[in-house]
Amino acid sequence: MSQLMANNTKSSVPLQFTPEPALLPARQQLSSSVEVLTEIFSADVNLAVWQRSLAPAVASYSQQLLSLLRLPLQHFISPEQLPDYLQPALPDAPGKEDFIADLTLIAQMFACLMECQQLGLRLKVLNQAMCPRFHTDHLCCRLVTTYHGPATEWHAGALTDNNARVQQLQQADVALLKGSGWENMATYAISHRSPALAEPRLLLTLDPVWQD
């Protein structure tokens, strides 16, 4: 240690410290166009939402899953394998094929955007708020969509901003939530929480998985 201090003392070049760059004010992009999802790659965007409505067959099957889906589905899988995985895993009821096609399409789009080979899939029925407090995700990005019931709540401020206005996604919205693990993060991760539930909620989340 003394030798290291001596070396630093003899140096003619003073030590300089580069300050952390200031975080950019965050923006949230919401649109009825699916292309809005690409906005997640903008440095100051921490939430991109494709506002859509479900086809009647998908909406009907989603509602049936509230009572038919006994156990949550949780699996690491490639989008190409999803139909073969979901076919035996999901209960038979009218609209099943449409539901599988819709979920597979969302997974394929997300995997293409994230350039990943696999996804961490979670499909579950919730009867109470899973994460009732505002938080951020400690990962790169997460796709969230509520097929039935109240959807995710979020606010535009930093996590510690207690005065930020609380806003809420709508049923069927497809949202990309930027987490703190985003490489070269230029703004703060999106703060969000589970909504209070007066009725069951069917929630899908997808996480990107990269293979070494």
Side-chain angles (χ1 to χ4, degrees):
M1 177 65 73
S2 59
Q3 183 62 41
L4 178 61
M5 293 178 62
N7 289 340
N8 285 340
T9 303
K10 294 176 183 178
S11 174
S12 59
V13 179
L15 294 176
Q16 296 183 353
F17 298 94
T18 303
E20 290 293 325
L23 293 179
L24 297 173
R27 292 189 298 125
Q28 296 76 41
Q29 296 290 90
L30 295 82
S31 172
S32 59
S33 170
V34 67
E35 295 179 357
V36 72
L37 297 179
T38 62
E39 290 293 330
I40 199 66
F41 295 104
S42 298
D44 60 342
V45 170
N46 61 4
L47 176 68
V49 181
W50 173 28
Q51 298 172 312
R52 64 171 194 150
S53 57
L54 295 176
V58 177
S60 175
Y61 185 76
S62 299
Q63 187 168 12
Q64 294 177 80
L65 283 181
L66 298 178
S67 59
L68 295 177
L69 187 62
R70 303 295 184 184
L71 297 173
L73 302 185
Q74 192 162 334
H75 200 59
F76 291 104
I77 193 169
S78 69
E80 294 75 21
Q81 297 171 320
L82 266 175
D84 290 339
Y85 168 71
L86 293 173
Q87 191 62 242
L90 290 174
D92 292 330
K96 176 178 176 178
E97 298 298 332
D98 299 89
F99 181 86
I100 290 175
D102 186 82
L103 195 158
T104 301
L105 177 62
I106 291 173
Q108 289 173 338
M109 290 191 301
F110 187 49
C112 182
L113 282 173
M114 296 290 108
E115 298 183 348
C116 62
Q117 295 77 33
Q118 287 194 317
L119 298 169
L121 166 101
R122 287 188 301 173
L123 180 68
K124 60 174 62 178
V125 175
L126 299 172
N127 292 295
Q128 59 184 12
M130 184 170 58
C131 302
R133 295 185 178 183
F134 277 110
H135 64 282
T136 59
D137 293 328
H138 300 296
L139 43 72
C140 168
C141 184
R142 171 169 287 163
L143 182 147
V144 174
T145 187
T146 300
Y147 273 103
H148 185 90
T152 302
E153 295 179 347
W154 59 276
H155 70 66
L159 183 58
T160 55
D161 187 353
N162 296 321
N163 297 316
R165 181 169 67 93
V166 177
Q167 304 185 62
Q168 188 169 19
L169 301 175
Q170 298 301 308
Q171 178 177 294
D173 284 353
V174 176
L176 301 186
L177 286 65
K178 187 176 286 185
S180 58
W182 189 276
E183 188 175 358
N184 298 322
M185 191 73 169
T187 187
Y188 37 83
I190 186 71
S191 299
H192 61 284
R193 69 182 179 189
S194 301
L197 296 180
E199 61 176 311
R201 178 190 187 198
L202 180 62
L203 174 67
L204 169 71
T205 66
L206 297 172
D207 296 339
V209 178
W210 292 275
Q211 297 174 333
D212 296 331

